[in-house]
Amino acid sequence: APLSPPSSAALTPHLLRGLLPFLALLFAAIGQFRLSSSPEAPGSGVRWFLLSGISLFLLLGQWRGRSLPTLPRFHLSAMPKQRWLYLLALSLAFLGQGLVNNTSGGGRPLLAILVWLSAIALAFYALRDLPSFHYFGKLSTGTRSFILHPSSFILFFAALLPRAFNLTTLPFILNGTEASLGLDALHIAQGSLRHPFATGWMSNPTLPLFLMALPLKLLGVSTLSLRLLSPIVGALTVLLTYWFGRRLWNEAVGLAAAVLLAGMHLHVHYSRMALTNVWDPLLALLALGLLALAWQESDPARQRGRWLWVGTAVGFSAYWFTPSHLLPLMFGGLLLWALLFDRVTLWQQGRHMLAALALAFLIALPLLLFYNTYPFLFMERANALGILAGQSDWLNLEAARTGLSQGELFRRQFWQAALAFNGSLDKSPSYRPLASLLSFGPALFFGMGLLLALLSLRQLRYALLLAWVGVTLLFAGALLQEPPQSHRLLIAAPAVALLAALALTTLAQALWANVAQGKDTAVPTAVPTPVPTPVSRHLLMVVLIIAALLAVNDLVFYYGRFPNQNSYADRNTEIAQRMADYLNTLEGDWTAYFYGPPNMYISFPTIPLLVTDFQANVNLFDVPPLPDNITPPPVTANQVHIYLPERQAELLQTQAAYPDGAVAVRSFPGVYANPLFYVYEVRP
């Protein structure tokens, strides 16, 4: 009898096996071409070589006798009809980006955002699985009870209190970064910046600034309205840390991590500042936590819903600076982990992952189109601060300046970044508490948690924490100038809290088992299983008390030592804040002259942000130093002359020019200088 031809399903593994050598060779050839043509920018070539390495890894698995799973046959006619709506959603996303102008920022931003959100909702619907799909991944009874349970509200407000208390006085002034972002948010509130899918100051995406503009629009411009959203975002991060810790491990881990994060002075500080950085831990927690839940989900009715929420979190994270740069690297590390340790799950849930990727792409599409128009903006800050050749070339320049080898310099960079949470002093101008980012107790448990995660590397939830912390310390620390800088590393705060909580809980479990002498059957093993395990009430209380003591110690540091022992901001920042406060107290019409150049100018962002009745070069002027200190004529009868101490001698000229009707000279003391500046008021 004639042999029947093999089915397409049977041929699939052989086709893949035959393609892998060609793919590996093709990727390597492209990589070598990129390296040869642009040796000063090796990143692109290295990425292609990595793809070649993945192909070789899969091929090596074939040579060892491992076969790829059989791919299912696919017919276009079998595709659910609602999938075609994804094309309509893509068109809406393109339309949303087209409603604003990349060059002028004109257009209709509110309509653009509404069209974009409609595209997201339509894509979510198009990518769902029918009929078993549940929008929230078939929300469990435990999850619903957690959301509505009074303890969730108690934890949220307990985390909110230290983040919102005396919000305008600690930190005691707006720093330059807060003021610069605040200026962009003010321009949005005033309607002069109208592009939600672009970048603003220091290449920061503008969409988060539209959120910051809401309090400014409703409450007016002030330090309070600028910082109002940050405590809420920080407290929400604490609550979700508890939820993910509880779902992925157990009640003790979740509660301990939340309490540690609630008091962590690093996270408390940035939860009190008008910066978009406080969103970074929340977005990373959502993206990686939802991924871990989706990965371990075995119910087909829940899988697609969970993965679509992963795609939603990843897509929105593209609009924040740090997550858009670090999350793809973290996901790359987790993909490598899956290829090494869990290819079965990777293959089984592959179609759900593709759906999540499609949704994430659509959500990020308007910003991706902007970056396609201005490709240099995406890596602009990384290239300016990076230490490698092709970026700032810091390693070569520093080696030439110091005489040290590049290897020695990188070794120093690495350890300064790696010890950011355990020993290195923070160098960020946005914090600088003259201490490491963790106090002694949390740092101790964090180090032990890293070891515990390494020993449990075969479980995704532990590998996820290692990728989260490792990518942050390497790419936001060691590979950038002057590590560690807390505003770059803040994204890892929930992972740090979870690792510390894991070590604390594991030690408490072991000690409790010895004390109980086997009587407490509810005590889980030292390394919990993937299913959340019950914890005895007594053990939970012990873990909670220890975590609370550590958290209180951090809060005492932040509210006690930090205000008196820090190098937060600088003299010019304080001058700008106090000068703005002073000018806002003047009643009536005034003309102001600032004798600050060349050390400081009225363009310092705090001044145009907070000063309400003065406008640069209209009734507020910089006065250049001698001999060019000719002042424009005043536009009002009332005048005020403001002098930095180094230009105090010129005050005598003003007194001679206006001897009558002038009040006495006033001086304003400050933290970084005493006096900060002198004021000479002239009234008719």
Side-chain angles (χ1 to χ4, degrees):
L3 294 175
S4 59
S7 66
S8 59
L11 285 173
T12 299
H14 301 285
L15 289 174
L16 287 177
R17 189 180 299 116
L19 284 175
L20 283 175
F22 294 102
L23 288 176
L25 186 60
L26 175 63
F27 293 152
I30 296 174
Q32 182 57 43
F33 173 77
R34 293 290 181 90
L35 292 176
S36 300
S37 58
S38 303
E40 69 282 355
S44 177
V46 171
R47 284 192 291 270
W48 283 103
F49 268 104
L50 288 176
L51 290 175
S52 176
I54 293 173
S55 302
L56 289 174
F57 176 81
L58 295 174
L59 185 64
L60 183 63
Q62 301 303 308
W63 292 342
R64 291 178 177 174
R66 302 171 185 168
S67 60
L68 291 170
T70 301
L71 286 172
R73 284 174 289 184
F74 175 74
H75 297 287
L76 192 62
S77 59
M79 185 176 70
K81 297 298 187 292
Q82 85 271 7
R83 293 284 188 270
W84 294 104
L85 293 175
Y86 181 78
L87 299 179
L88 177 59
L90 276 177
S91 302
L92 287 176
F94 273 100
L95 176 61
Q97 205 277 344
L99 288 171
V100 286
N101 188 283
N102 283 340
T103 304
S104 65
R108 307 172 68 180
L110 181 59
L111 180 60
I113 292 174
L114 290 176
V115 169
W116 172 62
L117 292 175
S118 301
I120 295 171
L122 185 61
F124 202 104
Y125 174 83
L127 294 169
R128 64 178 186 164
D129 263 354
L130 292 175
S132 60
F133 176 82
H134 292 265
Y135 278 101
F136 292 93
K138 201 173 183 179
L139 206 61
S140 65
T141 303
T143 302
R144 288 195 298 269
S145 63
F146 165 76
I147 295 173
L148 301 175
H149 199 276
S151 62
S152 298
F153 292 93
I154 293 173
L155 182 59
F156 175 80
F157 285 105
L160 182 64
L161 179 61
R163 286 160 172 77
F165 177 71
N166 279 347
L167 190 59
T168 60
T169 58
L170 184 64
F172 71 104
I173 52 176
L174 285 175
N175 78 349
T177 305
E178 286 182 285
S180 297
L181 292 175
L183 269 179
D184 278 354
L186 178 60
H187 295 155
I188 291 170
Q190 294 173 341
S192 58
L193 200 165
R194 305 177 61 82
H195 200 323
F197 310 123
T199 58
W201 183 81
M202 287 290 186
S203 303
N204 283 271
T206 53
L207 185 64
L209 303 179
F210 276 75
L211 298 175
M212 288 181 61
L214 291 175
L216 298 181
K217 189 77 171 178
L218 297 174
L219 304 176
V221 181
S222 67
T223 301
L224 177 63
S225 58
L226 279 171
R227 292 176 173 174
L228 192 60
L229 290 181
S230 295
I232 299 172
V233 174
L236 186 60
T237 307
V238 171
L239 182 62
L240 289 178
T241 298
Y242 167 56
W243 187 70
F244 282 113
R246 180 175 177 238
R247 291 296 306 272
L248 294 174
W249 286 277
N250 54 49
E251 181 80 12
V253 172
L255 193 56
V259 171
L260 290 172
L261 185 62
M264 186 185 295
H265 64 85
L266 165 69
H267 194 259
V268 169
H269 176 74
Y270 283 97
S271 298
R272 299 175 60 85
M273 296 187 69
L275 300 177
T276 56
N277 300 67
V278 72
W279 288 82
D280 298 350
L282 176 63
L283 293 167
L285 179 65
L286 283 171
L288 296 171
L290 288 171
L291 182 145
L293 292 178
W295 188 269
Q296 69 182 31
E297 183 57 66
S298 57
D299 186 350
R302 298 178 180 176
Q303 286 176 347
R304 177 56 63 93
R306 294 206 187 281
W307 279 107
L308 288 183
W309 285 112
V310 173
T312 302
V314 173
F316 277 105
S317 71
Y319 293 89
W320 273 259
F321 183 84
T322 305
S324 67
H325 289 72
L326 294 187
L327 275 177
L329 298 171
M330 297 175 192
F331 284 124
L334 293 176
L335 176 62
L336 179 61
W337 174 90
L339 291 172
L340 287 171
F341 298 113
D342 198 357
R343 281 178 289 174
V344 173
T345 304
L346 179 65
W347 199 263
Q348 288 174 345
Q349 303 209 36
R351 68 187 188 93
H352 301 308
M353 296 178 197
L354 290 176
L357 182 62
L359 183 58
F361 171 76
L362 180 137
I363 295 173
L365 181 60
L367 186 60
L368 295 177
L369 292 173
F370 177 83
Y371 283 135
N372 185 62
T373 305
Y374 306 101
F376 64 92
L377 284 176
F378 181 71
M379 294 298 291
E380 187 267 334
R381 295 308 300 158
N383 289 334
L385 298 172
I387 65 174
L388 302 178
Q391 296 177 318
S392 69
D393 204 20
W394 180 89
L395 274 179
N396 283 329
L397 296 175
E398 194 69 6
R401 186 183 70 85
T402 62
L404 298 174
S405 67
Q406 292 189 21
E408 175 63 19
L409 287 171
F410 182 76
R411 186 186 69 81
R412 292 185 179 184
Q413 286 274 116
F414 174 80
W415 283 112
Q416 286 174 356
L419 297 177
F421 295 102
N422 297 78
S424 300
L425 300 185
D426 178 36
K427 298 178 183 177
S428 171
S430 296
Y431 192 17
R432 285 198 296 243
L434 303 182
S436 60
L437 301 183
L438 290 179
S439 55
F440 182 83
L444 170 70
F445 288 116
F446 166 63
M448 298 182 69
L450 284 174
L451 296 175
L452 178 63
L454 283 170
L455 294 173
S456 309
L457 184 59
R458 286 184 172 272
Q459 296 184 45
L460 175 70
R461 54 192 178 156
Y462 291 97
L464 179 146
L465 296 179
L466 289 174
W468 191 346
V469 173
V471 166
T472 301
L473 292 178
L474 179 60
F475 290 94
L479 293 179
L480 299 180
Q481 297 174 29
E482 297 187 40
Q485 302 221 9
S486 54
H487 66 278
R488 303 171 185 166
L489 306 180
L490 178 66
I491 189 174
V496 169
L498 284 166
L499 286 167
L502 281 166
L504 171 60
T505 305
T506 301
L507 288 175
Q509 287 170 350
L511 294 174
W512 187 264
N514 291 333
V515 172
Q517 296 180 350
K519 295 179 181 180
D520 193 345
T521 57
V523 177
T525 58
V527 179
T529 59
V531 179
T533 51
V535 179
S536 72
R537 182 170 56 88
H538 297 92
L539 175 61
L540 183 62
M541 288 301 299
V542 170
V543 171
L544 178 59
I545 290 172
I546 297 174
L549 290 174
L550 295 174
V552 168
N553 180 64
D554 262 23
L555 292 176
V556 169
F557 166 81
Y558 186 73
Y559 279 96
R561 287 175 49 197
F562 171 68
N564 301 316
Q565 299 178 357
N566 68 82
S567 53
Y568 170 81
D570 53 28
R571 187 192 75 147
N572 282 4
T573 307
E574 188 179 11
I575 290 171
Q577 177 83 54
R578 299 307 175 217
M579 180 175 159
D581 295 340
Y582 163 72
L583 291 175
N584 286 333
T585 64
L586 298 176
E587 296 180 358
D589 296 328
W590 289 79
T591 301
Y593 298 96
F594 181 49
Y595 296 75
N599 295 329
M600 186 177 169
Y601 296 83
I602 58 174
S603 58
F604 195 96
T606 307
I607 297 173
L609 173 67
L610 295 182
V611 174
T612 55
D613 296 326
F614 292 84
Q615 186 176 350
N617 300 320
V618 175
N619 62 343
L620 177 60
F621 301 95
D622 279 320
V623 180
L626 292 171
D628 302 319
N629 61 340
I630 301 174
T631 59
V635 295
T636 61
N638 296 322
Q639 302 175 43
V640 58
H641 299 258
I642 304 172
Y643 301 84
L644 295 189
E646 53 267 33
R647 294 187 62 181
Q648 181 187 1
E650 298 173 61
L651 176 57
L652 297 175
Q653 295 180 353
T654 307
Q655 288 176 317
Y658 300 98
D660 300 323
V663 300
V665 176
R666 299 171 57 189
S667 65
F668 287 76
V671 173
Y672 291 109
N674 190 10
L676 282 173
F677 54 85
Y678 297 95
V679 166
Y680 186 74
E681 295 178 0
V682 179
R683 303 173 186 266

